[in-house]
Amino acid sequence: YTGLLLALTGAGLAMGDGLALVLMTLPALLALRSRILIEERMLSARFGSYYEEFCASRWRLLPWLY
């Protein structure tokens, strides 16, 4: 997911237009956030406290941000 977000950000920057950057990254970021939440619920249901401990020490998508 991080690679996809970086690629879209790079494409937006390459276009040299702030609007393109926002239109490329914002929808993808929202979709990825939704997908991450779905996957986390599934993993938490399957692995319980082990997964909760794992999440406590990891970033979801972007280190130091989210």
Side-chain angles (χ1 to χ4, degrees):
Y1 295 152
T2 302
L4 173 63
L5 191 58
L6 287 172
L8 291 172
T9 302
L13 289 172
M15 290 179 193
D17 182 10
L19 181 60
L21 176 62
V22 171
L23 292 176
M24 298 276 295
T25 57
L26 187 59
L29 185 59
L30 295 174
L32 290 174
R33 182 178 181 275
S34 174
R35 181 67 187 172
I36 288 169
L37 293 175
I38 291 168
E39 290 176 356
E40 285 183 342
R41 281 194 300 267
M42 182 179 65
L43 289 166
S44 183
R46 172 67 175 95
F47 297 108
S49 64
Y50 296 111
Y51 183 69
E52 300 300 326
E53 290 175 24
F54 174 82
C55 287
S57 63
R58 305 293 192 289
W59 293 97
R60 287 180 173 131
L61 186 62
L62 299 171
W64 301 285
L65 295 176
Y66 177 73

